[in-house]
Every structure is written in C-alpha cells, then in structure tokens.
C-alpha cells in the first residue's frame, strides 16, 4: 500500500477531556476507499476520537500524531481540517436559528471550493446541487430554506447531517453515532446517502454503538474500542460477533 | 454576566478625547478659521436668541425655544435608565457652531483618516458615497448637487416637501406651527426640552393626501445633513392615505466631536397613512477601554392620529457610548398599528438602554415589538418597554418578543417590560429569551469550513433576522456588515 492511498494515519493517539485521560494510545490507518467501523461501549472514547480528529476545543491531544494525507493534522484549525476534506456528522447536530440550511451549505461549500482552488458557485448552480442531494435523502426541498436544525426532529437532524456531507463531498467522512435515535426507515435513507458517496478516493470512519447500521453500510474493517484503546480489529463479521456477545467479554479478554 | 452595569470611570468631562480628536483634525488638515462662527460654551437666553438669530428665525420660533428653555431649567436629568456616566456639565457645551462651508472640509479622500476609509471598505459603501460621508466637499468629488436636485424635483412634482428643518421654518411655517411639539411636547422630558430650546437642524417631511412617496427618503441626500447631528429635530407628517419610508443615519461611522446628542423626532400619521422610519445609528462608541464616545439621548415618538394608520420603527443601534432611546407609538386612531423592530449591540464598554412605548388608545389597535439585544465585551444592554392599553382600547392587541444574545461572560443583558392594561378585552403576549453564543454553534460552523469570525457573524445575523428583514434591502446588507465590523475581536 503506497502512502498516497493513505487518507489518515493515527499513531499512538492520547487525548484527554479536562483532567481525564480518555484516549490511551489509538493506532489506526485508513486508506482511500475504505470504510472503518469503530464500535465500543459507552465511555470507551469513540466520540472523543471524532473530536480529536476534528479539532474540537476541550479535547486535548496529549501524545501521538495524526497524519492526514501524509501531513500533520493536529496543528490545523477546525475549519482548515474541514476545508481539507474532513467532515463530521455530529451525534448531536446544533441548532442555528435564523440561518437557513442553504446559506450554511453554500458558505461551507464555497469555503471548501476556495480551499481547493475552485471558483465559487453561483446561487443557481448551488441550488441545483443542493436539491439533487436532498432528493437522494428523500428530503423535501423546503428543508433547504429552513433554519439550520431549528425545530427539526431527531431524525430530520441526522438526515440533515448526511445532506451536508453529500453536498460537501469530503475525503474523510466521520459519522458519530448517526444511527442513534433513528427508526429503521430513516436508517436506510441515511445509509443510502453514505453509500452514494462511497468511492475509491473517499474513506469513512463510522462510529456506532450498534451493529444495526453496519447491515446497511457494510464496513471493510471493524475496530472495537475499549477504555481508550483499540481492543480488537477485524472484518465485518466482528460486528456480528459483538452483537451476539455484547461488550462485556472485552473487559476480560486481553487486548490483542 | 453581571446583573448590574459595570461602574466605570469615563473621562467624559476631561479632555484627552477631545484633544485627540482635535489632533486628528489637524492631521487631516482641515483646522481652519471657523472660530468666529462658534460661540463660547454655556447656555442662557442670550445663546438661544443668538441661535435663533443666526438661523434668521421668525419670532414665534424663538418664543417656542425660550419657553422650552424655561421649562428645561425646572427639570432634572432622569436617572432611571440603566446607564452610568459622569455628570454632564451643560454649561460646558457649545450650543452653536455654524455649518462647515466647503472650504473647511477635506478636499478629497486623500485628506481623510485612512482608518475611516478602511471601515467604509469593510462596510461595502460605494466609492462615491464614501466621500460625502467623510465630509469631503461634495462638489469637489462628484456632482451630488445635481443628484439632490433631480431628487427634489421629482418629489416636488408629487407635492412632497423634504427639506431641512430650518428651511421648513422659513418656507412652511404654517405646517411647522401646526405639528411641532404635538407629539413630543416641549417639556416631555429633560432631553426633549433641551433639544426644543437649542435644536440645531434636522429634517422636515410632508407627504400630501393620497401620495405614496416613490423613494426612500434618506438624510444622505440632504446636503449638509452631517452637520446637524448634535441637537437634531425631525418632523414627518403623512396626510390621509399617504405613505413614506424614511431612512435616518447611515452605517458608516460618523465623525463628530460633540459628545452629547439629544435628538427629537416626531411623526404624525393621519387616516390610512403609513410611516416607516428606519435608523442605523453608528456614532463613535468610544475606544476599547470605554474612553470617549457619544452620549445619545433621543426622544422619538409617532402619533397614529388617524384611523387605520401605521407607524413602524426599525432601528439598528451599534454606536454611541450611551444609548437612551425609546421610539414609541401613540395609537390614537381606531385600528391603527404600531411596530418596533430593534437590534441594539453593545461591545467593549458601551451601554444601551433602549426599547419602546406602545400606547393603545383607539379600538382594535395593534402593536408588535421585536427587540434583539446583543452584548459583547463589557457591554450592557437593556430592553425597556411599556405597553399601555387605555380604557377605550377595545380589542387592542400587543405582541412583544425580547431576545438577548450574550457573547463572553463580562457583559450583561437586562429586560424591563412594563405592562398597564385598563381594558379587559385587550390581549397581550410577551416572550423573552436570553442565550449565549455557543461554542458548539461556532464549532459546528467551523466543521463545515467556515472560520470563526464568519461563524459569529452568521449566528448574530441569524439572531437579528426578524429585524433586518424590516429594513430596506440595501440598508439590510449594510446593517449586516456593520454588525460584523462592530463585533470585530469580540470572540477570539
């Protein structure tokens, strides 16, 4: 595997929130085109990993390094990481009253395009893109003119995250428990959005507590996080094993 | 957030700020021989007589001023507002300065403070307008006289009068006499009385019966309007079935050496008439440490005198060290409508105590209040509003919404709604909210590629949206830019 196919390489990553050490040495490499699922019990550090990768304030990396397309990631501001193609679908999408979804999307898309040296899109071209992506997710076009997540149901918010991901076309999509709170139909729609975006040059890190999502977004690799470390890695069948056994056995089994 | 305003020492009556401004003037190269057109500081009857004489006013106008002065002398400065400032020495103020002639102005933009020009740039103000705003002699830069003349001709064809207040006193004394002081009486309050005694100039608008004014009337088109700031006096009368939209101020920072501003605005709407009055106030707010800045004590009131009349106030207040301002509506006519849409922003050490009064007198009168207060730095922002429903206000309705947005933990937001209902059929709704600009909101936008400064602007503009959409289009865009300029450095 050559380096230019490597999207992200996480080496011995330690991170803490406040005084509390949460990640205790994560090692993970994701190549272009791969989907990696990260599973694990509550409190194992799944969301902290997403925060560390996206540069959320309050999550301090205390040791280790992360290379994104061969370059140091951790020194970059959150918006630069985003423009460079890292997208996080939030576990709890934030409401921003008075700002329409389409304004957010256009600002974001133009920031990304600007970063890539592409010209900004005019309103008409943009709207065309946004509408076609909304169609993929079976979202009403009216959702584009509503204020960002304001008054959205839980399912609408999650769908809206995926809409943003489809519009921004990241190189690395991180889904943080996108399946939580979704019914099966919504889950299928969300998975459809992700699968739509799967491409040889694009990678995903799918964080989930349950195996259910992985029935629809088939991962290439599954990693089990326990107490801030990757306790086990395997193929998609590992998720099924977890579903069957739960996470309890992890604590007894020595880390591999 | 603190629950009371910070007490601070503002050297208002000391001189460094004035000195600094004086130096700046010197730097810009237009300190000239205007001394003989200035009178010494202080106020007494002779000063008022002098002001009136300089303006060549008729006897009745002088008498009106003198009566106001006599009333003012018996009044005391109000202290109920949630603002702190050192005592104002009213004998230390110069009450008359002749308008600058073109010779006293900078000859071109090259002579204007570069910092000011930079701000114009950020606000996206068209090149040719920048010169006029910076006080450059207009003829030297562009032919705005002809612009203004064309403008005036158009209005005159429709019978609309739009001129300076001084001109109205000379040319339309019967109209001025009929309406002046009928909405804001001379002795309405301390600052209104002071204004009535010494007012410098302002605008006069008269829209005849059934005429819909085809353009936004803006002070900007009135040459020399920039010199009338200190004790401005404006009177707008909309006759039966007429409509007018008036824009006051502009988003560009105005140069002004006068620390105390006390303006009075009176609006009169007769049957079926509508007046829309939009303000963007961006006077000098003082520096980052709260030194200097304008004290803005304004009395604005509209009378919906006729049935089915409507008065709508929209204000964006980002300037001044102290803002004391309550644009109000007296809803006399049956079915009349009063509206108040406000954005008030306080950053650094600015203090604003602003709101409205809606006085429902007629039947089925309706009022809407939307107030958005933004506090950053050490800013203190107070909404003070009164809704009164008198006995005869059968079926009156009010909706009030007061939202506060806090940035940082050194600022304050305060809300004082007063409600007084004398009619059992009246209906009131009041909603209030206070929120902090969230790190999670900023991060969310960061994660979509938007930098923090832009993210804050988006969040703030979203917060103000309901008010901005009431502004005329071009003004709304400028107002958005203005907020971002005013908040620069508020979130680090």
């Amino acid at each position: 595997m050559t380096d230019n196919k490597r999207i992200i390489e996480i080496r011995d990553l330690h991170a803490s929130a406040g005084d509390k050490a949460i990640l205790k040495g994560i090692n993970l490499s994701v190549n272009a085109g791969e989907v990696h699922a990260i599973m694990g019990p509550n409190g194992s550090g799944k969301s902290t990993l997403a925060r560390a990768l996206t540069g959320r304030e309050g999550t301090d990396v205390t040791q280790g390094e992360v290379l994104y397309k061969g370059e140091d990631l951790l020194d970059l501001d959150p918006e630069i990481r985003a423009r460079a193609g890292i997208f996080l679908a939030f576990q709890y999408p934030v409401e921003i009253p008075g700002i329409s979804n389409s304004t957010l999307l256009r600002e974001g898309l133009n920031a990304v395009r600007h970063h890539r040296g592409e010209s900004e899109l005019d309103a008409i071209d943009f709207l065309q893109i946004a509408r076609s992506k909304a169609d993929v997710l079976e979202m009403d076009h009216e959702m584009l003119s509503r204020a960002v997540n304001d008054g959205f149901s839980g399912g609408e918010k999650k769908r809206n995250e995926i809409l943003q991901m489809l519009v921004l076309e990241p190189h690395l999509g991180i889904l943080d428990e996108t399946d939580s709170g979704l019914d099966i139909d919504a889950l299928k729609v969300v998975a459809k959005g992700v699968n739509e975006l799967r491409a040889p040059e694009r990678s995903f890190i799918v964080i989930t507590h349950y195996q259910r999502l992985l029935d629809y977004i088939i991962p290439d690799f599954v990693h089990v996080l326990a107490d801030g470390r990757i306790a086990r890695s395997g193929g998609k069948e590992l998720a099924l094993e977890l579903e069957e056994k739960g996470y309890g056995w992890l604590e007894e089994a020595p880390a591999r | 957030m603190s629950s009371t305003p910070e007490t601070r020492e503002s050297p208002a009556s000391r001189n460094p700020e004035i000195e600094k401004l004086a130096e700046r003037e010197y730097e810009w190269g237009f300190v000239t021989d205007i001394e003989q057109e200035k009178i010494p500081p202080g106020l007494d009857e002779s000063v008022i007589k002098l002001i009136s004489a300089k303006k060549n006013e008729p006897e009745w106008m002088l008498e009106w001023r003198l009566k106001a002065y006599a009333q003012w002398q018996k009044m005391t400065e109000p202290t109920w507002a949630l603002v702190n400032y050192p005592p104002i020495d009213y004998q230390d103020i110069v009450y008359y300065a002749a308008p600058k002639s073109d010779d006293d102005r900078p000859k071109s933009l090259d002579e204007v403070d570069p910092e000011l020009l930079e701000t114009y740039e950020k606000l996206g103000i068209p090149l040719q307008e920048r010169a006029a705003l910076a006080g450059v002699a207009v003829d030297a830069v562009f032919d705005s006289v002809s612009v203004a003349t064309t403008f005036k001709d158009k209005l005159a064809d429709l019978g609309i009068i739009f001129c300076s207040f001084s001109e109205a006193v000379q040319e339309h004394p019967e109209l001025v006499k009929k309406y002046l002081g009928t909405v804001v009486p001379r002795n309405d309050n301390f600052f209104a009385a002071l204004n009535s005694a010494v007012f410098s100039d302002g605008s006069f608008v008269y829209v005849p019966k059934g005429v819909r004014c085809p353009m936004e009337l803006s002070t900007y088109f009135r040459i020399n309007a920039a010199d009338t700031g200190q004790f401005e006096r404006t009177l707008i009368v909309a006759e039966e079935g007429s409509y007018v939209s008036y824009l006051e101020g502009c988003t560009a920072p105005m140069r002004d050496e006068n620390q105390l501003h006390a303006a009075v605005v009176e609006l009169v709407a007769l049957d079926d008439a509508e007046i829309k009055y939009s303000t963007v106030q961006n006077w000098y707010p003082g520096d980052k440490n709260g030194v200097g800045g304008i004290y803005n004590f304004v009395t604005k009131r509209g009378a919906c005198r006729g049935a089915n009349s409507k008065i709508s106030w929209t204000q964006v207040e980002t300037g001044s060290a102290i803002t004391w301002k309550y644009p109000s509506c007296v809803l006399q006519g049956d079915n009349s409508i009063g509206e108040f849409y406000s954005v008030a922003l306080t950053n650094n050490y600015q203090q604003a105590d602003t709101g409205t009064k809606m006085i429902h007198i007629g039947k089925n009168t309706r009022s809407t209040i939307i107030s958005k207060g933004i506090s950053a730095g050490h800013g203190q922002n107070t909404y003070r509003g009164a809704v009164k429903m008198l006995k005869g206000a059968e079926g009156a309705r009010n909706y009030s919404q007061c939202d506060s947005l806090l940035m940082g933990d050194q600022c304050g937001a305060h809300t004082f709604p007063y409600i007084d209902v004398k009619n059992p059929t009246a209906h009131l709704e009041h909603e209030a909210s206070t929120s902090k600009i969230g790190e999670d909101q900023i991060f969310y936008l960061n994660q979509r590629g938007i930098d923090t400064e832009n993210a804050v602007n988006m969040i703030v503009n979203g917060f103000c949206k309901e008010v901005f959409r009431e502004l005329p289009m071009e003004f709304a865009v400028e107002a958005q830019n203005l907020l971002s300029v005013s908040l620069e450095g508020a979130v680090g």
Side-chain angles (χ1 to χ4, degrees):
Chain A
M1 192 107 5
T2 53
D3 266 0
N4 60 9
K5 276 202 74 187
R6 181 144 297 169
I7 294 286
I8 198 160
E9 182 156 355
I10 303 169
R11 294 178 184 155
D12 190 31
L13 186 70
H14 288 65
S16 59
D19 292 338
K20 198 167 179 245
I22 299 190
L23 299 183
K24 300 167 184 171
I26 301 273
N27 289 290
L28 178 66
S29 294
V30 178
N31 294 316
E34 295 174 352
V35 174
H36 289 240
I38 308 253
M39 302 184 70
N42 290 330
S44 57
K46 302 191 297 289
S47 287
T48 302
L49 178 61
R51 286 159 180 256
L53 295 181
T54 50
R56 179 76 159 107
E57 213 171 299
T59 300
D60 302 315
V61 173
T62 50
Q63 196 181 315
E65 64 176 347
V66 178
L67 298 179
Y68 174 69
K69 297 182 186 171
E71 312 235 355
D72 181 28
L73 178 72
L74 297 176
D75 275 346
L76 303 179
D77 285 337
E79 65 270 25
I80 307 296
R81 300 185 198 192
R83 289 173 199 168
I86 296 182
F87 180 95
L88 172 64
F90 284 65
Q91 184 177 5
Y92 304 107
V94 179
E95 299 185 3
I96 306 178
I99 293 296
S100 72
N101 246 334
S102 58
T103 300
L104 165 67
L105 284 170
R106 204 176 59 230
E107 289 281 331
L109 182 56
N110 281 333
V112 169
R113 290 178 64 93
H114 193 258
H115 186 82
R116 291 177 189 161
E118 296 166 3
S119 64
E120 293 196 351
L121 283 178
D122 65 33
I124 294 168
D125 289 344
F126 164 76
L127 208 60
Q128 216 159 13
I129 291 175
R131 284 183 175 161
S132 70
K133 305 295 183 186
D135 290 341
V136 172
L137 297 170
E138 297 164 31
M139 285 170 79
D140 205 317
H141 291 177
E142 178 255 351
M143 294 285 278
L144 292 169
S145 46
R146 281 174 63 183
V148 179
N149 297 324
D150 193 13
F152 283 27
S153 71
E156 281 174 330
K157 283 182 182 173
K158 292 297 175 73
R159 214 178 275 210
N160 202 27
E161 293 295 289
I162 303 304
L163 171 68
Q164 295 179 35
M165 186 166 77
L166 289 186
V167 171
L168 296 176
E169 298 185 324
H171 300 144
L172 174 64
I174 303 170
L175 278 64
D176 189 4
E177 308 222 7
T178 298
D179 52 329
S180 67
L182 288 187
D183 62 31
I184 193 72
D185 292 329
L187 188 76
K188 282 182 186 167
V189 172
V190 162
K192 184 179 162 204
V194 175
N195 290 328
E196 177 97 355
L197 215 52
R198 286 180 81 158
E201 73 279 7
R202 191 168 285 130
S203 312
F204 292 91
I205 294 177
V206 180
I207 294 170
T208 178
H209 189 80
Y210 302 104
Q211 186 270 336
R212 192 179 63 153
L213 178 67
L214 305 180
D215 285 341
Y216 302 97
I217 303 172
I218 313 287
D220 300 300
F221 301 95
V222 175
H223 310 277
V224 185
L225 212 59
D227 191 27
R229 291 185 193 91
I230 291 179
R232 261 189 80 182
S233 295
K236 62 184 179 215
E237 62 290 341
L238 178 57
L240 293 167
E241 195 182 328
L242 286 169
E243 181 78 355
E244 211 174 291
K245 296 189 190 164
Y247 290 113
W249 59 274
L250 277 171
E251 270 123 56
E252 295 122 48
R256 214 173 45 125
Chain B
M1 171 180 35
S2 61
S3 59
T4 50
E6 305 252 330
T7 315
R8 68 192 167 90
E9 200 198 326
S10 168
S13 47
R14 293 208 306 264
N15 272 336
E17 186 55 28
I18 295 165
E19 273 168 27
K20 207 174 99 202
L21 281 164
E23 267 168 43
R24 260 160 64 185
E25 286 235 330
Y26 182 69
E27 207 173 270
W28 303 346
F30 53 92
V31 166
T32 45
D33 259 355
I34 51 170
E35 289 311 316
Q36 65 257 45
E37 284 294 66
K38 258 191 182 163
I39 58 171
L43 185 55
D44 57 22
E45 284 205 355
S46 72
V47 170
I48 291 167
K49 282 177 184 161
L50 186 86
I51 295 171
S52 192
K54 288 266 187 198
K55 291 173 166 291
N56 203 18
E57 286 179 352
E59 191 59 29
W60 61 268
M61 194 70 256
L62 173 62
E63 268 171 36
W64 201 84
R65 286 178 182 272
L66 289 173
K67 276 183 194 157
Y69 177 62
Q71 286 165 326
W72 178 71
Q73 281 181 300
K74 291 183 206 130
M75 300 169 90
T76 47
E77 202 176 315
T79 54
W80 42 261
L82 203 52
V83 290
N84 284 319
Y85 54 93
I88 298 168
D89 182 353
Y90 291 90
Q91 294 304 331
D92 197 32
I93 291 170
V94 175
Y95 288 90
Y96 180 80
K100 285 199 180 83
S101 81
D102 280 355
D103 291 344
D104 304 325
R105 295 158 177 272
K107 301 289 176 287
S108 74
L109 279 176
D110 298 340
E111 294 176 26
V112 172
D113 183 10
E115 208 176 292
L116 196 66
L117 296 179
E118 199 184 303
T119 310
Y120 291 171
E121 178 82 43
K122 285 181 192 159
L123 290 170
I125 291 171
L127 255 182
Q128 67 272 27
E129 287 185 27
R130 293 179 197 175
L133 293 170
V136 172
V138 251
D139 290 340
V141 179
F142 75 118
D143 197 7
S144 93
V145 176
S146 67
V147 171
T149 314
T150 326
F151 193 75
K152 265 201 153 167
D153 286 349
K154 233 184 202 172
L155 294 176
D157 284 348
L158 294 162
I160 296 170
I161 303 167
F162 178 37
C163 62
S164 75
F165 196 89
S166 303
E167 202 180 325
V169 170
Q170 304 294 338
E171 308 292 326
H172 310 283
E174 68 300 335
L175 286 172
V176 175
K177 268 196 224 173
K178 187 172 174 188
Y179 292 105
L180 180 68
T182 64
V183 186
V184 179
R186 277 186 305 243
N187 61 346
D188 185 81
N189 66 70
F190 182 83
F191 296 109
L194 178 64
N195 174 286
S196 300
V198 303
F199 65 83
S200 31
D201 210 336
S203 300
F204 177 79
V205 177
Y206 177 82
V207 191
K209 193 170 165 178
V211 172
R212 202 183 155 83
C213 186
M215 57 192 93
E216 318 272 354
L217 296 184
S218 157
T219 38
Y220 169 66
F221 282 102
R222 254 195 33 238
I223 312 279
N224 285 341
D227 288 327
T228 62
Q230 191 174 15
F231 297 107
E232 198 163 346
R233 182 101 205 175
T234 292
L235 175 60
I236 299 177
V237 179
E239 286 276 9
E240 246 173 77
S242 67
Y243 167 84
V244 62
S245 169
Y246 183 87
L247 309 183
E248 180 204 5
C250 63
T251 52
M254 290 292 226
R255 286 185 315 107
D256 197 309
E257 300 109 79
N258 301 307
Q259 185 152 41
L260 174 68
H261 280 231
V264 171
V265 175
E266 296 180 278
L267 311 181
V268 179
L270 301 178
D271 285 356
D272 303 303
E274 180 177 349
I275 302 175
K276 194 170 163 54
Y277 192 106
S278 311
T279 307
V280 171
Q281 184 266 116
N282 187 22
W283 298 104
Y284 182 53
D287 68 12
K288 285 189 171 58
N289 303 311
V291 176
I294 302 286
Y295 295 178
N296 197 23
F297 297 94
V298 190
T299 306
K300 288 184 165 171
R301 196 172 303 151
C304 282
R305 235 161 246 179
N308 311 309
S309 56
K310 180 177 175 185
I311 288 179
S312 179
W313 299 101
T314 306
Q315 62 172 23
V316 177
E317 303 278 325
T318 61
S320 297
I322 309 269
T323 300
W324 182 100
K325 183 182 173 190
Y326 316 90
S328 302
C329 297
V330 182
L331 305 170
Q332 291 162 276
D334 289 348
N335 311 312
S336 60
I337 298 172
E339 293 175 339
F340 174 74
Y341 300 97
S342 170
V343 167
L345 179 151
T346 51
N347 195 2
N348 297 321
Y349 284 91
Q350 286 177 277
Q351 307 172 64
D353 192 306
T354 184
T356 184
K357 267 189 282 188
M358 293 290 175
I359 300 166
H360 293 252
I361 299 171
K363 293 191 185 78
N364 300 314
T365 45
R366 278 175 289 155
S367 62
T368 303
I369 298 171
I370 308 282
S371 163
K372 304 278 181 177
I374 302 156
S375 318
H378 295 265
Q380 292 294 332
N381 212 313
T382 301
Y383 168 78
R384 189 182 301 278
V387 179
K388 274 190 182 176
M389 301 204 163
L390 304 192
K391 239 181 174 161
E394 201 69 18
R397 273 181 290 156
N398 163 265
Y399 174 74
S400 301
Q401 184 189 328
C402 304
D403 298 322
S404 304
L405 186 67
L406 299 169
M407 301 171 71
D409 51 11
Q410 304 289 309
C411 54
H414 319 271
T415 305
F416 298 101
Y418 304 91
I419 292 168
D420 180 9
V421 181
K422 297 266 166 33
N423 186 305
T425 64
H427 190 86
L428 276 101
E429 270 179 83
H430 182 93
E431 285 179 29
S433 77
T434 301
S435 52
K436 261 188 118 157
I437 197 160
E439 243 172 59
D440 52 347
Q441 286 178 323
I442 293 172
F443 180 71
Y444 189 77
L445 295 175
N446 285 160
Q447 220 301 307
R448 300 303 180 247
I450 297 162
D451 65 36
T452 299
E453 195 179 325
N454 196 5
V456 170
N457 289 338
M458 285 174 75
I459 294 164
V460 169
N461 280 314
F463 176 74
C464 299
K465 194 180 174 195
E466 289 152 289
V467 175
F468 285 166
R469 70 174 171 219
E470 297 297 325
L471 287 170
M473 183 70 117
E474 329 82 81
F475 228 37
V477 174
E478 283 187 25
Q480 289 191 16
N481 293 338
L482 175 60
L483 280 198
S484 56
V485 170
S486 304
L487 281 173
E488 257 172 30
V491 169

